[in-house]
Amino acid sequence: MKGSSQKLAPYLFIGPSIILLTLFSLLPILLALVISFTDMDLSGLVNYESIRFIGLENYTNVLLDPSFIKSLGNTLFFVIIGVPLVLIFSLSIAILINMGKSRAFKVFRVVFYLPSVTNVVAVAVVWSYLYNPTLGLFNYVLGQMNLGPVPWLTDPTVAKISLIVLAVWRGIGLNMIIFIAAIKGIPGSYYEAAQLDGANTWQQIRYITLPQLRYAIFFVSITTMIGWLQFFEEPFVMTKGKPLDGTLTASLFIYNNGFQFSKFGYAAAGSFILFFAIIAVTLIQFRLQNKAES
Amino acid sequence: MKTAVQQARANTRSGEKTFQWFVAILLTVGGLLMVLPFAWMILSSFKTEGEVTKIPPTIWPQHFTLDNFKLLFDSMAFGTYLTNTLIIVLASFFGLFLNAMAGYGFAKFQFKGKGFLFYLVLATMMIPGQVTMIPVYLILNQMGLTNSMLGIVLPGLVGAFAIFLFRQFMSDIPEELLEATRLDGAGEFRTFLQIVLPISTPILAVQAILTFIGGWNSFLWPLIIANDEKLYTLSVGLSLLKGQNESQFALQMAGSTFMVVPIMIIFIVFQKYIIENYTISGIK
């Protein structure tokens, strides 16, 4: 009897999780693939018989849709500017915090991590206020310095940059912690040897810290990039993709088509194109990393 | 000669000291920029609507008022949103328990299909939310769970990353300990509850904090599934507030403060566990 319960036990432990993951993660991806080849919309939700199989039509239409192309361009803009900024800031701050000899420096870990744990909607509401053209703090401070007001959220290009500033502010914390953990893993003897050889601080960073952090930098750049490719909540709450689709991201495009216009098939096709783009960019990153290694 | 060495040592020591100050000042300036939006938010939430729109802006509230917070609860149903959010947090703790069970199953048992199932779990980590959003909605619709609390909670209940962390941690629990408990006649589930979970307190603590933060902040899925205002969470309510009260900034700041400050307090109290989690999880 004990033998049979031993055999059954592991399945009882993993069962609930496996069922939920299958139902809400694995099955949906197959379903999304099927839906993307159909013209499913709100009427299809009520009556499955009205759903028609339309082959690749959604895919060709999405790829020709000017607002989808625009959203891809915007997403690329966010990735190209956002990823390096997050990387540079979180790495520099991690190195600086680690240089501190006093325990007081631990306070900075908390301070810089704080924006990452707070609610994105609340944060977006606060930044909308900071960015307000007439009442906002930013334009007031600029005014005091005799600099003209900046159209933070009303100019298509500036709005993109404003969202990047906010997202970088939020993105520093988590990555900084990853870097701090990685720096702590570097053997102290490397630095002692370098100091005996008379290496200054900058040389120690350049020739010990950075090379030793190779893997952490790679990890952070991959996860950050995937995050920016799926950039959604900040533009969704702050700008809704406005002005003139200037902050419309691929994710926002998918959400709008799926849940605003109920074009499920069309949105599913868009989501697969984004998925493939993410896979492609990630593979390219791995390639580059391998090349740099060898 | 001796004095020259001492002099040199003193020089490097004072150089080191200046450098430490330089680093500290640099970090302080950066840190102030990080907390500035929060400070501005909290201070504005205690101002009257008239004071918030005043130019030049005041920093400290001239007329300290709690009216904005009262308004949130009296005429904006923030009480309901708070209850819903707390229900989600509680449900996510149940999910945490399921994650721990799955982690234990993968860590300490040999069974058929183990490798395959574990890869299946890991694979779900790579699926972007945008792709599954629509089909999950359709599945819940088919189950009749749209516009219900169960529909909000169910899809996010378990997560591959948490299962993975639990498995990593529980793999290190000594086999002899589990064997001894089993010999004492304890069932598998009792072994899990009375031996495995207490040993796993460190990882459980980290996961509990992250689960709390995640549940408290949950936004997109409740927004999609809930049509009825009775089911809105705090963040959905707050985004609604932003849309409908475009020019009432003091009120908006009060709503944001109400969302952010509890998380700040919890985070500051427990940050040690979260930050050290990254060494536990072995990201190096």
Side-chain angles (χ1 to χ4, degrees), chain B residues 198-215:
Chain B
I199 293 178
S200 310
T201 313
I203 188 82
L204 219 48
V206 179
Q207 291 291 324
I209 301 157
L210 293 178
T211 302
F212 186 92
I213 294 175

Side-chain angles (χ1 to χ4, degrees), chain A residues 6 10-11 17 28 35 45 48 99 101 113 117 119 128-130 132 134 140 169 174 177 215 251 267, chain B residues 16 20 34 40 52 55-56 98 111-112 127-128 130 134-135 138 142 188 217 220 224 242 249 267 278 284:
Chain A
Q6 264 293 82
Y11 297 105
S17 296
I35 295 168
L45 198 61
Y48 287 133
M99 280 176 174
K101 299 263 189 300
Y113 194 12
V117 293
N119 182 279
S128 300
Y129 178 40
L130 290 169
N132 188 287
T134 47
Y140 175 76
W169 173 77
L174 180 64
I177 297 296
Y215 181 70
S251 296
Chain B
E16 171 69 19
Q20 286 285 312
M34 295 305 270
W40 189 243
V52 152
I55 293 175
L98 293 183
F111 54 92
K112 224 177 142 190
I127 302 170
Q130 284 83 4
I134 292 163
L138 298 177
Q142 190 67 29
E188 292 299 336
N217 287 343
L220 185 57
I224 290 174
K242 180 181 187 288
F249 286 104
F267 173 69
Y278 288 94
K284 277 184 181 169

Side-chain angles (χ1 to χ4, degrees), chain B residues 27-274:
Chain B
L27 285 171
T28 308
V29 172
L32 284 176
L33 289 176
M34 295 305 270
V35 295
L36 173 91
F38 294 127
W40 189 243
M41 168 191 79
I42 295 170
L43 290 172
S44 300
S45 72
F46 294 117
K47 293 175 187 169
T48 61
E49 210 59 69
E51 193 182 339
V52 152
T53 50
K54 227 169 44 199
I55 293 175
T58 53
I59 293 179
W60 203 257
Q62 285 174 321
H63 302 284
F64 184 91
T65 174
L66 288 172
D67 285 354
N68 299 312
F69 291 95
K70 280 195 196 120
L71 203 59
L72 289 178
F73 284 87
D74 291 345
S75 51
M76 320 230 40
F78 261 59
T80 315
Y81 306 155
L82 176 64
T83 316
N84 291 334
T85 306
L86 290 176
I87 293 174
I88 293 180
V89 168
L90 278 181
S92 63
F93 276 113
F94 175 67
L96 178 70
F97 183 70
L98 293 183
N99 286 331
M101 272 172 56
Y104 177 58
F106 281 119
K108 285 294 170 202
F109 291 93
Q110 293 308 323
F111 54 92
K112 224 177 142 190
K114 179 177 166 176
F116 171 74
L117 287 173
F118 191 62
Y119 280 120
L120 218 56
V121 170
L122 290 187
T124 62
M125 268 203 281
M126 286 154 214
I127 302 170
Q130 284 83 4
V131 181
T132 50
M133 213 158 55
I134 292 163
V136 169
Y137 178 82
L138 298 177
I139 290 172
L140 288 172
N141 187 54
Q142 190 67 29
M143 295 162 79
L145 289 178
T146 50
N147 208 22
S148 76
M149 197 37 101
L150 205 57
I152 293 176
V153 162
L154 222 45
L157 213 50
V158 299
F161 188 60
I163 295 176
F164 179 74
L165 284 187
F166 276 121
R167 191 200 77 133
Q168 294 296 86
F169 189 89
M170 290 171 177
S171 301
D172 294 338
I173 297 174
E175 208 67 57
E176 299 79 42
L177 193 64
L178 301 176
E179 244 357 278
T181 328
R182 283 182 192 131
L183 284 178
D184 282 347
E188 292 299 336
F189 201 67
R190 246 187 72 196
T191 312
F192 173 70
L193 283 183
Q194 293 184 342
I195 304 294
V196 177
L197 280 188
I199 293 178
S200 310
T201 313
I203 188 82
L204 219 48
V206 179
Q207 291 291 324
I209 301 157
L210 293 178
T211 302
F212 186 92
I213 294 175
W216 181 266
N217 287 343
S218 60
F219 168 58
L220 185 57
W221 196 246
L223 177 81
I224 290 174
I225 289 292
N227 297 321
D228 199 334
E229 206 188 330
K230 285 198 176 70
L231 290 171
Y232 284 175
T233 59
L234 281 172
S235 26
V236 176
L238 186 60
S239 70
L240 197 76
L241 174 73
K242 180 181 187 288
Q244 292 177 347
N245 302 273
E246 203 62 66
S247 55
Q248 285 174 280
F249 286 104
L251 187 63
Q252 291 185 29
M253 292 310 113
S256 305
T257 302
F258 188 70
M259 275 236 71
V260 165
V261 169
I263 286 297
M264 277 183 165
I265 293 170
I266 289 188
F267 173 69
I268 289 171
V269 172
F270 294 107
Q271 46 86 19
K272 216 184 100 209
Y273 297 97
I274 305 185

